[in-house]
Amino acid sequence: MAIKTVLRMGEPCLLLKAKPVEKFDTEALHQLIQDLEDTMRHMNGAGIAAPQIGVSLRVVIFGQKASDQSINPRYPDADIVPYTVLINPVLTPVGDAVDEGWEGCLSLPGMRGIVPRYTQMHYAGFDQFGNPIDRLVSGFHARVVQHECDHLDGILYPMRINDLKDFGFSDVFFPNQDFQDD
Ligand code: NI
C-alpha cells in the first residue's frame, strides 16, 4: 500500500502537459499503477491521473473492480465503470452531443461544478502491459475518461465550466448529502 498525497489545484505539476510512457510492463510503471489505485480507493475517487500524485506521465486509472462490493459513496448513482488502466490515451468525440453534469475532483476537495462533456467518446490507448485498449463509451463512463485525460493536458474541470455560478462547495449545493473526503 502506498497512499500518496493528492496535489491540489494551484500546484504547477497539475498544469503541465504530461509525457507519454515509452516502456510498458516495467517495475516503475507497475508501482505507479499500484500507488494510483491505492490513492484512488483511499479517497473514494472515480478516477485519478498520474500528475495528481506528482508524476507527469500520461497514465490514468478509473472505475471499479468487479470484486468491489461497495458502491462508491461519492458517486452512488453513477453507472458502474469497469476498472481501467489507460496509458497514452487518444480520445475522439463521437458526434457533437454534449451533456452537462456535476463533477468533483480529488485535486479540488469539497468542490463541485457543472461541466459540459461529450456524450459519446471513442478512446484508445494501452494498459500497463502494453495491451491495446479500444472502446466506444457514453454517459458517465465517457465523462470520467474526459475528466481524467484532461489532467494529462493540464486542464482541471473548473476551466471547462461555462458559468462559474455552477461552481461551488459540495455541502452548500447538496446540504443533505454526505460527501466523504471530497
Ligand atoms: Ni480530477
Side-chain angles (χ1 to χ4, degrees):
M1 286 286 283
I3 296 163
K4 298 291 185 180
T5 300
V6 176
L7 303 181
R8 289 176 303 152
M9 190 175 184
E11 287 280 354
C13 182
L14 292 173
L15 301 178
L16 299 175
K17 189 170 173 67
K19 292 194 163 52
V21 169
E22 292 179 352
K23 275 188 159 178
F24 294 89
D25 201 12
T26 64
E27 192 59 39
L29 185 56
H30 291 305
Q31 186 60 55
L32 172 62
I33 301 298
Q34 189 63 52
D35 289 349
L36 287 168
E37 189 181 329
D38 292 344
T39 306
M40 177 177 79
R41 288 165 70 97
H42 177 71
M43 306 283 286
N44 290 317
I48 192 168
Q52 291 181 278
I53 60 166
V55 177
S56 193
L57 288 172
R58 303 187 80 75
V59 176
V60 304
I61 70 168
F62 52 83
Q64 287 181 280
K65 289 185 171 168
S67 56
D68 280 352
Q69 297 296 318
S70 61
I71 304 279
N72 187 328
R74 288 183 68 237
Y75 295 91
D77 301 325
D79 313 328
I80 298 294
V81 178
Y83 176 78
T84 302
V85 172
L86 183 62
I87 298 173
N88 298 348
V90 177
L91 271 57
T92 312
V94 179
D96 298 327
V98 167
D99 287 329
E100 300 263 356
W102 287 98
E103 290 185 18
C105 179
L106 299 177
S107 295
L108 289 96
M111 309 292 292
R112 284 288 184 283
I114 297 178
V115 185
R117 300 286 186 188
Y118 288 105
T119 307
Q120 268 210 309
M121 183 63 66
H122 174 262
Y123 68 87
F126 301 90
D127 70 10
Q128 65 270 48
F129 302 100
N131 300 313
I133 294 170
D134 192 301
R135 288 183 185 154
L136 179 63
V137 298
S138 59
F140 185 69
H141 192 154
R143 175 170 296 278
V144 169
V145 172
Q146 290 168 80
H147 176 116
E148 297 311 330
C149 293
D150 264 358
H151 279 295
L152 308 180
D153 292 323
I155 298 167
L156 297 161
Y157 78 83
M159 301 174 188
R160 298 254 187 220
I161 295 174
N162 284 324
D163 183 343
L164 282 173
K165 290 175 185 165
D166 296 330
F167 180 50
F169 292 94
S170 308
D171 59 350
V172 177
F173 278 129
F174 306 103
N176 298 318
Q177 285 188 32
D178 178 28
F179 289 101
Q180 299 214 334
D181 303 282
D182 173 350

